Amino acid sequence: MKAESLKVALVRADIERANKIKARLPEVQKYFDQFETTLPPAGKGYSEVSQEVGEIARDTHVQVQDLKFKEKEVSGRNVDEIEVEALLAGDYAGSCVF
């Protein structure tokens, strides 16, 4: 009986956690919607990222030799995931983190 009571208590705790998560979903969705409005429009995105990478390169005394973008659609959202690959050259003694 004690073991069964413990199982019931664990299931109730799981249900309570799930209900708390469910209650916060609209708040989390609102946060993501707000975040998406801060993203640059698709037409300007690549140039803004290129500019930022260039600024970081200048600040860290490296040169961007090649910059590639790989686009992937994120299902269910009105956004695309962009993978950025940069080939850098320069003095790495200053150690920079990207």
Side-chain angles (χ1 to χ4, degrees):
M1 185 73 153
K2 207 174 205 180
E4 292 301 315
S5 293
L6 180 59
K7 287 180 186 178
V8 169
L10 290 172
V11 169
R12 284 187 177 146
D14 285 343
I15 292 170
E16 185 178 334
R17 276 192 301 276
N19 285 331
K20 286 179 182 178
I21 291 169
K22 184 179 178 182
R24 288 200 61 219
L25 284 178
E27 176 188 347
V28 172
Q29 182 64 48
K30 182 179 174 184
Y31 170 79
F32 279 111
D33 291 342
Q34 289 173 341
F35 169 75
E36 286 178 3
T37 64
T38 67
L39 298 173
K44 291 178 61 181
Y46 290 111
S47 61
E48 286 187 26
V49 171
S50 296
Q51 181 181 348
E52 287 182 20
V53 170
E55 290 170 4
I56 293 169
R58 274 190 301 282
D59 292 346
T60 56
H61 308 289
V62 297
Q63 296 174 342
V64 178
Q65 293 188 332
D66 191 21
L67 194 59
K68 295 179 183 175
F69 298 94
K70 187 176 179 182
E71 198 171 311
K72 177 180 154 188
E73 186 178 325
V74 178
S75 63
R77 306 297 297 179
N78 191 24
V79 296
D80 292 327
E81 178 181 318
I82 308 294
E83 181 179 310
V84 181
E85 182 179 321
L87 178 61
L88 306 174
D91 180 13
Y92 296 98
S95 294
C96 63
V97 177
F98 285 97

